[in-house]
Amino acid sequence: MEQTLVILKPSTVIRGLMGEVINRFEKKGLIIAGMKMIQLTDDILAEHYFHLVDRPFFPSLKRSMMASPVVVMCVRGVEAVSVVRAMTGATNSRVAAPGTIRGDYSMSGQQNIVHASDSVENAEIELKRFFRDDEIFDYKPATIDALYGEGEC
Ligand code: IDP
Ligand code: MG
């Protein structure tokens, strides 16, 4: 199975939407393999969003990401990286499709509820950025035999 990083951004924490968003991943059948609340810093955001450091909105992106603690999650499942990206929706929530998390919970291109890793390679790098090995758990959900068909995982 793949693992991917999800961050519940301050827009989710401050608006009291953590439970709703976590519930979507649980209902989908994804396994929450790790989860904790942390405060992001300048340094970790410069690393995490290195592809955006030269963009004019980077200072306001950093402020928005440090406005409250965030929840970082390790989410596991077959093809979890692409499944979670599809559930997340387009970056700009105003064009994100209804039914996606951003499409259903946000009006913003910046305060867009969740971060989700965009490739298997980046998921590995990003999970290492936020989790120690012993903070990711390999337990078997009681529902696993009903989540996947034989040989699917
Ligand atoms: P993603 O979150 O959909 O992967 P990225 O391009 O990696 O999108 O951008 C990271 C984050 O930076 C976005 O989720 C959003 O919060 C913010 N961001 C991206 N583009 C803009 C913009 O044009 N204005 C303001 N914030 C932006
Ligand atoms: Mg991205």
Side-chain angles (χ1 to χ4, degrees):
M1 288 198 194
E2 287 177 6
Q3 298 188 145
T4 192
L5 176 78
V6 171
I7 303 176
L8 306 185
K9 295 185 176 189
S11 45
T12 305
V13 176
I14 294 169
R15 290 175 57 199
L17 294 172
M18 288 181 285
E20 292 224 15
V21 176
I22 292 166
N23 197 232
R24 289 210 171 200
F25 296 119
E26 291 186 309
K27 279 185 181 165
K28 175 69 174 167
L30 290 155
I31 300 164
I32 297 174
M35 183 160 68
K36 61 184 177 180
M37 185 174 268
I38 60 169
Q39 176 62 49
L40 297 177
T41 62
D42 262 316
D43 286 351
I44 204 157
L45 284 165
E47 189 182 310
H48 185 67
Y49 283 140
F50 69 95
H51 58 299
L52 299 172
V53 290
D54 295 329
R55 302 294 291 272
F57 59 82
F58 188 65
S60 80
L61 172 61
K62 276 202 304 189
R63 282 194 293 277
S64 75
M65 291 296 289
M66 294 191 293
S68 78
V70 298
V71 175
V72 288
M73 301 169 61
C74 172
V75 176
R76 183 184 295 143
V78 174
E79 295 171 32
V81 175
S82 58
V83 168
V84 170
R85 278 294 280 195
M87 291 174 71
T88 296
T91 304
N92 182 343
S93 305
R94 291 189 295 278
V95 302
T100 64
I101 293 167
R102 288 170 173 169
D104 285 354
Y105 293 114
S106 171
M107 281 294 286
S108 171
Q110 181 171 91
Q111 305 272 48
N112 56 5
I113 306 294
V114 287
H115 164 83
S117 304
D118 62 7
S119 67
V120 173
E121 186 189 18
N122 282 339
E124 275 180 34
I125 294 167
E126 293 180 351
L127 283 167
K128 282 198 173 67
R129 181 171 297 140
F130 292 104
F131 287 96
R132 297 192 315 261
D133 286 350
D134 66 356
E135 292 176 321
I136 293 178
F137 300 92
D138 194 12
Y139 65 95
K140 186 175 176 182
T143 52
I144 194 76
D145 293 335
L147 285 175
Y148 294 104
E150 282 179 35
E152 232 180 344
C153 67

